[in-house]
């Protein structure tokens, strides 16, 4: 397969992944958005409860940015203090990381069942909740399909002559790799998609684990930028929440990068495979930040 054709297949797979993740999120918002918002409001001054609810809702929505918008709105209306809202958003970041862990399991056998059940519910269901649940199931199936497509496309990348040059450069310049991970995540507006792509590339041997971890740290920083951008026109009380999240997560990512660059980190403790190591360390990083 020619390099141009490989990149075309990879771009199509990434586009499908982004669209499928968005499909799941919009399905959840349309069917259960009001109920989820009510659940988040119950946290009020309890930071531990706020973190737990932020984690749970981010898993359901497959988006920490969506929780960030809600938390910022709560802070702006006075319903929730800054500390509680910030803790909720940090919990949502952990929930987003846990979604990556769930999707990184070998679940391809579920695809036909999800498509059949989801398609039937969406086309035959009379209630809004039933139809949108079908939409969610089809979205999850398409996420799994896109991951398989990414794996197939990246398998051919290993034969590319240019790739070792690019990977070799990024492996010696962690600062550039970190910025690249942050920019790509901000561009696609999905840390889940970014980390899944990086893990898939690492599993295929295209990207070394060390480089993958640096890219993921950058992705964490880029993910925090998404909510900052989405609330830039809001009142100061709302903007403070995502900015605080960026300060916590961005500082943590930079410190982790400095530690990783200066210490021979035992990544093998995170799991036997390259993808599992990257995903588990991604989860661990967000757990530490919370």
């Amino acid at each position: 397969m020619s390099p141009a054709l490989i990149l075309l297949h990879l771009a199509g797979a990434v586009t499908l992944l982004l669209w499928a993740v968005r499909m799941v999120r919009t399905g959840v918002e349309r069917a259960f958005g009001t109920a989820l918002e009510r659940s988040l409001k119950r946290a009020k001054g309890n930071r531990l409860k706020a973190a737990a609810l932020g984690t749970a809702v981010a898993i359901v929505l497959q988006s920490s940015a969506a929780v960030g918008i809600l938390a910022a709105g709560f802070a702006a209306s006075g319903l929730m203090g800054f500390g509680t809202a910030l803790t909720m958003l940090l919990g949502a970041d952990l929930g987003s990381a846990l979604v990556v862990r769930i999707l990184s399991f070998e679940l391809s056998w579920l695809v036909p069942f999800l498509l059949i059940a989801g398609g039937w519910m969406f086309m035959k269901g009379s209630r809004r909740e039933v139809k949108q649940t079908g939409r969610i199931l089809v979205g999850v199936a398409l996420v799994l399909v896109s991951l398989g497509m990414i794996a197939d496309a990246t398998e051919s990348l290993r034969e590319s002559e240019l790739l070792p040059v690019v990977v070799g450069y990024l492996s010696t310049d962690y600062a550039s790799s970190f910025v690249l991970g942050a920019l790509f995540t901000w561009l696609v507006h999905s840390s889940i998609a970014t980390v899944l792509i990086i893990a898939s590339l690492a599993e295929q041997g295209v990207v070394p684990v060390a480089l993958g971890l640096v890219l993921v740290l950058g992705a964490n920083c880029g993910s925090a930028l998404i909510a900052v951008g989405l609330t830039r026109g809001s009142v100061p009380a709302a903007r403070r929440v995502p900015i605080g999240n960026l300060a916590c997560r961005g500082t943590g990512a930079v410190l982790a990068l400095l530690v990783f660059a200066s210490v021979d980190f035992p990544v093998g403790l995170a799991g036997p495979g390259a993808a599992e190591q990257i995903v588990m360390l991604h989860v661990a990083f967000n757990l530490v930040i919370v």
Side-chain angles (χ1 to χ4, degrees), residues 196-267:
L196 284 172
I197 291 168
I198 294 170
S200 180
L201 291 172
E203 188 66 21
Q204 296 298 320
V206 175
V207 172
V209 173
L211 174 57
L213 291 174
V214 174
L215 290 170
V216 166
L217 288 173
N220 277 278
C221 188
S223 176
L225 285 170
I226 297 171
V228 173
L230 292 175
T231 57
R232 64 185 180 277
S234 304
V235 298
R239 294 200 303 270
R240 278 196 292 268
V241 177
I243 290 174
N245 179 57
L246 175 61
C248 292
R249 209 172 176 195
T251 302
V254 171
L255 291 175
L257 176 65
L258 293 175
V259 171
F260 184 70
S262 57
V263 177
D264 187 14
F265 193 80
V267 294

